Amino acid sequence: MTKNRLPRIAIAGGGLMGRLLAWRLPPQQFDVTLYEAREFSLPRGACWTAAGMIAPLSELVHSCREIYELGVRSLTLWRDWVNTIETRTGQSVCFRNAGSLLVAHRQDKSELLQFQRELQGKLNGEVSAYVQELDAEQLRQLEPTLEHFEQGLYLRNEGDIDNRRLLPLLLCEISRQGVHLIEQSPVECEPFAINSDRGREEFDCVIDCRGLGAGERVKGLRGVRGEVMVVETSEVALHRPVRLLHPRYQLYAVPREEGRTVIGATEIESEDMSPISVRSTMELSSALYSLHPAFAEARIVETRVNCRPATMDNMPYLHSESGLVCVNGLYRHGYLLAPALVEQVERRIEQQINGEKV
């Protein structure tokens, strides 16, 4: 590296990971270029489709302790990072750290009990420090519109973020910081170099976070289809994410501004990107109606479909070699894991630039 020249870093993939990394690598220390296969403003990646939940406890039941610990770390980082973004831009990211609720109908009370038992096993019996059992009155105090439920669980240390607000603000910030933005440019990554239609360009380090676009580099990478609906009504006002537990299907409902709610739960082992199916629409709508009857008159204003990159064991993939760092396979945990993984990638970049052993 030439004396007095800033280390050149290439980031392949302009989704959540790519934008956070481009934002976090300080312009005083690095010369950063961010590549995106499509247009940066086009809301088509998995990060645009997600509901933006940061729910380490909710996910612990279906994953391992490592995912939970990364999620707890991410929640702490999100608090600090959101404050910084809002201070610099003067705009709200709409981040909430108000916890989340789990509810079940009377006949499905066993689902709540099973959830608690599984958490107890994974938290070594320390559930009471994180989870509060709610009776009907306590539940109404937190969410008045859920008055027909008799019990629930309040998971204190959970949050959510409005991805449709966050991603454009991140793009504005990294542009302001002087990051070179190259869109409509599919690339191939290799140590110390990016190959594209523009030719081959060399860097001091390449970060590959292309998601499914990196299938040739990440063994066993697969797409898991997810479908969400956005509904709008003025008759139901939730104050935090709510999950409905049911023996056959589960639903999450994440409130947004202007009376909108993002709902979803589908997880299909397929890389099909066609529109949402009638079956999924009916199941999501039925579950939403059972959450609150007033949702029957809500208007479906948007449907979203995408495929989330996942490894064979659904664990995130982080690999380093000289001149290259690959991060992938965030599965359905994108907003839950991204900040903690960004922190790990930052350390690996510093090690490489400083000539430490990878």
Side-chain angles (χ1 to χ4, degrees):
M1 186 172 64
T2 305
K3 187 177 181 180
N4 297 326
R5 177 176 72 78
L6 292 177
R8 299 188 68 221
I9 307 295
I11 302 172
L16 178 62
M17 281 295 300
R19 294 186 192 209
L20 284 175
L21 282 163
W23 176 68
R24 285 287 300 169
L25 294 175
Q28 300 86 359
Q29 299 178 29
F30 301 101
D31 180 4
V32 179
T33 301
L34 177 62
Y35 292 86
E36 167 55 37
R38 295 186 286 259
E39 297 176 17
F40 282 108
S41 59
L42 194 63
R44 289 191 60 185
C47 60
W48 291 93
T49 303
M53 290 185 293
I54 310 161
L57 282 167
S58 297
E59 292 300 322
L60 179 58
V61 168
H62 307 289
S63 57
C64 66
R65 182 70 182 239
E66 181 181 351
I67 295 294
Y68 167 75
E69 290 172 351
L70 287 169
V72 171
R73 177 58 183 162
S74 287
L75 192 57
T76 298
L77 291 171
W78 275 125
R79 296 188 194 107
D80 294 337
W81 292 3
V82 164
N83 181 62
T84 300
I85 294 169
E86 291 181 338
T87 299
R88 291 177 180 174
T89 64
Q91 299 186 54
S92 172
V93 175
C94 291
F95 167 74
R96 244 186 325 234
N97 193 186
S100 65
L101 282 178
L102 272 70
V103 296
H105 295 289
R106 179 189 302 176
Q107 65 271 23
D108 300 325
K109 185 177 180 180
S110 61
E111 297 295 317
L112 289 174
L113 296 175
Q114 179 64 24
F115 184 92
Q116 285 180 286
R117 281 194 293 267
E118 293 186 13
L119 271 189
Q120 282 179 333
K122 293 191 175 183
L123 292 173
N124 300 319
E126 300 174 3
V127 174
S128 60
Y130 309 97
V131 180
Q132 178 184 353
E133 295 184 43
L134 303 176
D135 58 25
E137 179 58 32
Q138 292 170 318
L139 185 56
R140 280 193 292 271
Q141 289 177 5
L142 283 174
E143 292 291 347
T145 58
L146 300 182
E147 57 186 4
H148 57 292
F149 285 94
E150 297 180 358
Q151 68 274 316
L153 298 175
Y154 176 44
L155 312 183
R156 300 185 186 90
N157 193 32
E158 299 202 326
D160 65 286
I161 193 166
D162 190 337
N163 53 336
R164 296 296 178 99
R165 278 183 168 270
L166 171 70
L167 294 168
L169 288 178
L170 276 175
L171 186 64
C172 289
E173 271 297 280
I174 61 181
S175 178
R176 184 189 63 79
Q177 291 175 184
V179 172
H180 310 294
L181 300 174
I182 301 178
E183 61 183 5
Q184 295 181 307
S185 182
V187 302
E188 293 180 358
C189 300
E190 61 181 75
F192 301 108
I194 288 285
N195 295 296
S196 70
D197 291 341
R198 299 157 53 96
R200 175 185 170 89
E201 191 165 2
E202 296 186 350
F203 293 88
D204 295 292
C205 190
V206 173
I207 307 173
D208 185 353
C209 47
R210 291 174 292 160
L212 290 175
E216 82 287 349
R217 181 170 291 280
V218 183
K219 185 178 180 180
L221 192 68
R222 74 192 199 284
V224 179
R225 176 180 167 99
E227 304 162 318
V228 302
M229 295 166 49
V230 182
V231 302
E232 182 177 294
T233 179
S234 61
E235 297 186 48
V236 184
L238 299 174
H239 299 93
R240 56 185 54 78
V242 175
R243 293 178 185 249
L244 174 66
L245 301 186
H246 184 275
R248 189 163 62 87
Y249 50 74
Q250 299 187 13
L251 173 100
Y252 62 73
V254 183
R256 291 285 180 249
E257 294 180 314
E258 300 176 345
R260 295 192 171 191
T261 304
V262 180
I263 64 171
T266 62
E267 186 172 316
I268 304 167
E269 287 289 340
S270 169
E271 295 188 8
D272 175 19
M273 291 287 288
S274 62
I276 190 169
S277 68
V278 171
R279 177 179 179 176
S280 294
T281 303
M282 292 177 63
E283 288 185 351
L284 289 173
S285 299
S286 176
L288 187 64
Y289 174 75
S290 74
L291 185 66
H292 197 292
F295 274 121
E297 294 302 318
R299 296 299 182 255
I300 300 174
V301 296
E302 184 182 353
T303 61
R304 308 173 189 167
V305 173
N306 225 299
C307 288
R308 298 158 289 194
T311 59
M312 295 307 293
D313 61 0
N314 295 331
M315 293 294 291
Y317 175 86
L318 182 56
H319 168 77
S320 298
E321 59 185 276
S322 185
L324 179 67
V325 179
C326 297
V327 57
N328 211 316
L330 273 65
Y331 183 39
R332 67 184 187 190
H333 305 133
Y335 288 86
L336 177 67
L337 301 183
L341 291 176
V342 164
E343 196 174 49
Q344 293 186 21
V345 173
E346 287 180 277
R347 287 196 290 266
R348 299 194 183 200
I349 293 297
E350 290 175 3
Q351 290 172 352
Q352 294 212 21
I353 296 302
N354 293 330
E356 299 176 25
K357 186 177 180 180
V358 178

